[in-house]
Amino acid sequence: NGGPGCSSISGALKENGPFHPTRDGEHLQENVFSWNKIANVLYIDSPRDVGYSYRDSTEEPDSVYNNTKTTDDLVIALQSFVDAYPNYKSRDFFVTGESYGGIYIPQLVDALIPTNSVQLNLKGFAIGNGLMRLSDSFNSDFDLMFYRGMIGKQEFDSLYDCCTASGQIADLLNCDFSYFIDVPDSGDLNPKQFDDKTMQDCANHVAKLGNYVWNSRNIPYNTYQDCYAGKPGTQSRRVQKSALNAAKSYQNYEGDFYDQGANQFADSTDAMGGFQCYMDDATTKYLNIPQVRQALHIHDGAAKNWEDCRDLGYVQNEWDMT
């Protein structure tokens, strides 16, 4: 999983694993959309200190978190796995990931191929919705938000002048908006500093608009998700039902009132029963139940409470995997 700093266990319990946490976060239920029936999946938390993972600080006292260190640790983790389960050495092996995995995965595969450092039958890799190149990712945000109704035409059209001001063709499909931003190692998208006021205004505008995909009320990974609040009012239906029952009693009325409202799910209209609206809190609660930690052999003296994502001060020092 991505982040950087997000636990891959969330991929198991919130995405493609066989189980989802229930709404109350106390049990598991079947994930009816789980896709995998042919492979074993090893979910690895990376970088270290994410999720349940921990380390002996006397062995590794440094506090460096970056792509190089993550790759080194993943190689060690895979080697430890095949040492413990040697029957997997001959199996077809694929590396997969999502989001910031677009950075993790190519670097890990690159480390595995030339040295054959881990005795695995490496067949390939797959990246889902991955961050492969920051400029491409940023430039696509504006189209995504406009054509899904997150920003209006006025905001979208306002970008034309900035394309022209930067000497580019006023073509929003090919304009490089990353020209206006600086990205420090923290991964923040900040406006670049210009002496020219017009350019500086454009940089501020582009950075603010480009960051909106993360700051709106939409879920950035599923912008069509609608998490409703509250329950629909049923007073009018109760009144109608009461009147029909009275008519049936006193006038030999043969019909009945069918309460369609009772069959409406008020939280969401998606096919997963609004799971994405409560999955974060439910997963966190479930994975921190003492009995669950004990069943998973979590070292309570060393492992922290499970969090979906942890801020580790990760140094994001490479942005282009092409």
Side-chain angles (χ1 to χ4, degrees):
N1 282 53
C6 296
S7 171
S8 289
I9 298 177
S10 65
L13 287 183
K14 296 195 296 186
E15 296 173 349
N16 51 30
F19 300 108
H20 281 162
T22 54
R23 181 179 294 270
D24 59 11
E26 296 181 359
H27 306 280
L28 294 178
Q29 59 188 347
E30 182 186 3
N31 173 14
V32 296
F33 294 103
S34 179
W35 56 266
N36 177 40
K37 294 181 181 296
I38 61 171
N40 293 289
V41 182
L42 173 65
Y43 294 90
I44 302 182
D45 279 343
S46 57
R48 66 199 194 285
D49 297 328
V50 165
Y52 282 139
S53 69
Y54 65 92
R55 59 196 165 115
D56 186 340
S57 58
T58 62
E59 294 286 337
E60 292 285 347
D62 69 90
S63 57
V64 177
Y65 300 90
N66 58 33
N67 298 325
T68 302
K69 186 70 175 176
T70 298
T71 300
D72 292 343
D73 286 345
L74 284 170
V75 170
I76 294 172
L78 289 175
Q79 183 62 61
S80 299
F81 176 76
V82 295
D83 287 346
Y85 303 97
N87 56 306
Y88 282 96
K89 289 182 179 180
S90 60
R91 305 278 187 94
D92 291 350
F93 181 78
F94 295 85
V95 184
T96 67
E98 65 169 4
S99 192
Y100 199 78
I103 306 294
Y104 291 150
I105 302 307
Q107 293 189 336
L108 173 59
V109 173
D110 187 55
L112 293 176
I113 288 176
T115 60
N116 196 26
S117 56
V118 181
Q119 295 178 347
L120 288 165
N121 187 20
L122 181 64
K123 289 294 186 178
F125 66 95
I127 299 171
N129 195 30
L131 175 62
M132 301 294 296
R133 189 183 186 198
L134 183 65
S135 58
D136 290 343
S137 177
F138 182 75
N139 288 333
S140 70
D141 287 342
F142 303 96
D143 281 350
L144 177 119
M145 289 188 290
F146 175 61
Y147 288 104
R148 295 190 176 185
M150 294 174 64
I151 61 174
K153 192 171 188 303
Q154 182 177 352
E155 290 88 355
F156 193 60
D157 288 347
S158 68
L159 298 168
Y160 278 105
D161 291 338
C162 291
C163 285
T164 305
S166 62
Q168 303 182 59
I169 300 174
D171 175 6
L172 295 185
L173 292 178
N174 296 297
C175 187
D176 183 11
F177 296 108
S178 66
Y179 174 83
F180 293 101
I181 62 169
D182 276 327
V183 185
D185 289 342
S186 63
D188 298 323
L189 302 176
N190 299 326
K192 189 180 291 184
Q193 298 302 306
F194 293 94
D195 294 330
D196 182 79
K197 183 180 183 304
T198 300
M199 292 293 287
Q200 188 60 58
D201 288 344
C202 277
N204 295 339
H205 179 59
V206 168
K208 181 179 180 180
L209 200 59
N211 275 307
Y212 183 65
V213 71
W214 303 103
N215 300 327
S216 77
R217 295 185 65 180
N218 295 78
I219 299 173
Y221 304 106
N222 185 8
T223 53
Y224 288 147
Q225 177 58 264
D226 44 12
C227 296
Y228 302 137
K231 303 294 181 183
T234 57
Q235 179 61 38
S236 62
R237 289 190 173 91
R238 286 200 299 271
V239 171
Q240 185 179 2
K241 181 177 182 180
S242 176
L244 286 174
N245 283 338
K248 184 167 62 174
S249 299
Y250 294 105
Q251 302 175 21
N252 199 26
Y253 180 71
E254 296 295 334
D256 197 4
F257 175 73
Y258 190 75
D259 190 355
Q260 293 283 358
N263 294 324
Q264 293 179 0
F265 188 76
D267 291 341
S268 179
T269 57
D270 68 78
M272 300 180 70
F275 176 69
Q276 291 193 347
C277 304
Y278 65 82
M279 63 182 185
D280 292 341
D281 292 341
T283 301
T284 300
K285 181 179 179 180
Y286 179 78
L287 290 175
N288 286 312
I289 295 175
Q291 294 92 328
V292 172
R293 291 171 62 94
Q294 183 178 5
L296 295 175
H297 308 286
I298 303 302
H299 193 308
D300 282 334
K304 302 176 183 178
N305 279 351
W306 188 89
E307 297 178 24
D308 190 3
C309 299
R310 187 165 286 143
D311 185 5
L312 299 169
Y314 194 95
V315 178
Q316 303 177 49
N317 55 338
E318 295 180 63
W319 289 107
D320 191 345
M321 291 293 107
T322 54

